[in-house]
Amino acid sequence: MAGAAEPAQPLMEFRKVTRIYGEGEAEVRALDGVDLMIRKGEFVAIMGPSGSGKSTTMNIIGCLDRPSSGAYLFAGTDVSQLGGDALALLRRHYLGFVFQGFNLLARTTARENVELPLIYKGLPAAEREALANAALARVGLAGREGHDPSQLSGGQQQRVAIARALAGHPTVILADEPTGNLDSQRSHEILTLLQQLNREEGITIVMVTHEPDIAAYARRLVVFTDGHITRDEPVDPDAREVRA
């Protein structure tokens, strides 16, 4: 239609991506010719049973693994053509990671945990501290900067992990089962926070989960089965249960 806005270019794109592990009878085809586009500002939940390809997809998106064939493009750049140093820079400047197990250092304060990725960026101490404090405030932990993980609840520890991901101002947050170690109330708090970061700050979020009620917090659902995408659809914003 004349005058209609052109759709945004994909931020992340799989083009016929295949990922094979092993050889011969031991060969496992984790992904089998997958096409996938994720645009800037989306909140995508990736679901599927064990062995479906969802974790392999997350690893490729996060530049922790490479396709066996096909292409993965980030902001139009074919990631498979990048060397190790360039991949590290891409992860450092564009991606933030949040894991199920929090991955915080014990006997290290919340602020110091958040500062860790900023050290790799070579930022001076004063700037690191300011960015860490600001990130902790964004996730509701102002005043807890000096607490170590043993002094924080599970939900607060995950907030520290999200603050650590946010401190470097990433374009994308990759969340791998981010509520797997939390009770339902803390899970709701973390997912509401991710929704706010997506809707209010425009951060693209890709979240792996095996729980339909967790996927319902996203705005798009992608379901994998045996290395293929079998569903790709919007999530009803009023839903609190998605049947995969």
Side-chain angles (χ1 to χ4, degrees), residues 15 78 94 149 207 216:
R15 294 181 178 175
D78 187 346
Y94 293 96
M207 176 178 69

Side-chain angles (χ1 to χ4, degrees), residues 43-103:
F43 185 170
V44 180
I46 296 178
M47 290 188 66
S50 178
S52 64
K54 63 183 186 299
S55 295
T56 300
T57 296
M58 182 69 93
N59 287 338
I60 292 175
I61 288 174
C63 302
L64 302 173
D65 198 0
R66 294 177 186 264
S68 301
S69 64
Y72 167 46
L73 280 66
F74 186 93
T77 296
D78 187 346
V79 174
S80 65
Q81 302 302 311
L82 300 180
D85 290 344
L87 285 173
L89 287 172
L90 191 157
R91 287 192 296 268
R92 191 177 305 162
H93 292 284
Y94 293 96
L95 306 177
F97 296 86
V98 179
F99 303 98
Q100 175 178 343
F102 313 147
N103 289 4

Side-chain angles (χ1 to χ4, degrees), residues 74-242:
F74 186 93
T77 296
D78 187 346
V79 174
S80 65
Q81 302 302 311
L82 300 180
D85 290 344
L87 285 173
L89 287 172
L90 191 157
R91 287 192 296 268
R92 191 177 305 162
H93 292 284
Y94 293 96
L95 306 177
F97 296 86
V98 179
F99 303 98
Q100 175 178 343
F102 313 147
N103 289 4
L104 302 180
L105 296 180
R107 298 184 298 281
T108 302
T109 67
R111 180 190 298 114
E112 289 167 339
N113 269 285
V114 174
E115 284 186 38
L116 282 175
L118 304 176
I119 293 173
Y120 295 114
K121 284 190 172 186
L123 300 181
E127 185 176 354
R128 293 199 309 267
E129 181 174 343
L131 287 170
N133 287 342
L136 287 165
R138 286 167 75 188
V139 301
L141 289 179
R144 303 274 182 156
E145 297 88 351
H147 290 60
D148 65 40
S150 67
Q151 298 172 302
L152 300 171
S153 69
Q156 289 171 331
Q157 290 182 57
Q158 192 61 296
R159 285 175 181 267
V160 173
I162 293 172
R164 181 179 56 197
L166 288 173
H169 299 290
T171 302
V172 181
I173 288 180
L174 303 176
D176 190 358
E177 300 280 4
T179 62
N181 287 337
L182 303 177
D183 61 30
S184 58
Q185 179 58 38
R186 300 297 175 266
S187 295
H188 173 72
E189 292 173 0
I190 293 302
L191 291 161
T192 299
L193 173 60
L194 291 176
Q195 284 182 326
Q196 290 172 345
L197 293 170
N198 172 250
R199 291 173 178 170
E200 298 173 11
E201 303 190 29
I203 296 174
T204 305
I205 297 176
V206 182
M207 176 178 69
V208 164
T209 181
H210 65 279
E211 298 286 352
D213 57 334
I214 299 301
Y217 284 82
R219 293 196 283 174
R220 176 181 168 196
L221 174 66
V222 177
V223 178
F224 279 81
T225 306
D226 296 331
H228 298 272
I229 293 175
T230 51
R231 287 174 60 189
D232 186 347
E233 61 194 27
V235 173
D236 181 350
D238 297 322
R240 274 297 169 263
E241 182 175 357
V242 178

